[in-house]
Amino acid sequence: MRIDVVSIFPEYLSALDLSLIGKARQQGLLELTVTDLREFTTDRHRTVDDTPYGGGAGMVMKPEPWAAALGAVLGGGPAAGPGAAGERPVLVVPSPAGEVFTQATARDLALRKHLVFACGRYEGIDERVVDWSREHFEVRPMSLGDYVLNGGEVAVLAMVEAIGRLVPGVVGNPDSLVEESHADGLLEYPVYTKPALWRDRPVPEVLLSGHHGRIARWRRDRQLQRTAARRPDLVGSLDPTGLDRADRAVLAEAGWVVSGGRVVRAGDGAAGEPVA
Ligand code: SAM
């Protein structure tokens, strides 16, 4: 996979030299290039921002350096298109006004050949850059969550890590990707390691039993309980056909039932359906 990041703070992205993503780059699994937006300015102050039309606080990133930088990333100057035949690169524009980045988004983007990340600063990038980019890229304005950061770099670090670890070969044991939070719409179960007794706190006995079926059931129950307690929005999105009798019993204890083909809060006029 090829990844390009454009930023006025290229050094911010140096964390991508470390750990599994750094190793994946060394191994050639990820071809990641960070480009300094200021290289595409034409004035002696290397200006990338200007005052907003219509007034208001803050500064807005100018369109020209962005068009030049993105054109260079595409490999043919500002007016160039995707170049090589085939799928268009995806341009991810971090923004608190974008669609929320989720594990499903990460899975989707991990299948793409070329991702380009445009790190905004100040009040963001002139909107015409986003419009113009649609001629050359599949554009995805993307939010890390409902809060405001100073710039896109932190969001890009998070997104590249979440996407990169799904690229085959980046994480040594692919099984660890299957069992973790959000892989199946649920949060992960709690995990423990040695010693079996720590500060008067024993590891749950079932985990020492060696009984794979009981361990799997215990973990599934904890997933359902934890998700119901911490992320009820995820419970409401569960597919009831994937819930067995034991799952439904755990959810019922947490105040959820299957009704009308959906998982809903008990008491919202919902009558629980018998398990098929
Ligand atoms: N004025 C913008 C607004 O209210 O939507 C916020 C600009 S913010 C101070 C500067 C940059 O930080 C944004 O252009 C974006 O690149 C990045 N950013 C801030 N919050 C973000 C979030 N939640 N997710 C992704 N990127 C974010």
Side-chain angles (χ1 to χ4, degrees), residues 93-97 118-125 142-153 155 159:
V93 186
S95 164
C119 300
R121 282 268 153 183
Y122 317 115
E123 294 308 319
I125 304 172
M142 200 71 75
S143 171
L144 214 54
D146 292 341
Y147 43 82
V148 179
L149 302 164
N150 285 335
E153 289 77 8
M159 289 190 271

Side-chain angles (χ1 to χ4, degrees), residues 82 85 118 142 172 189 201 215 255 270:
M142 200 71 75
Y189 47 79
R201 288 164 172 80
I215 292 172

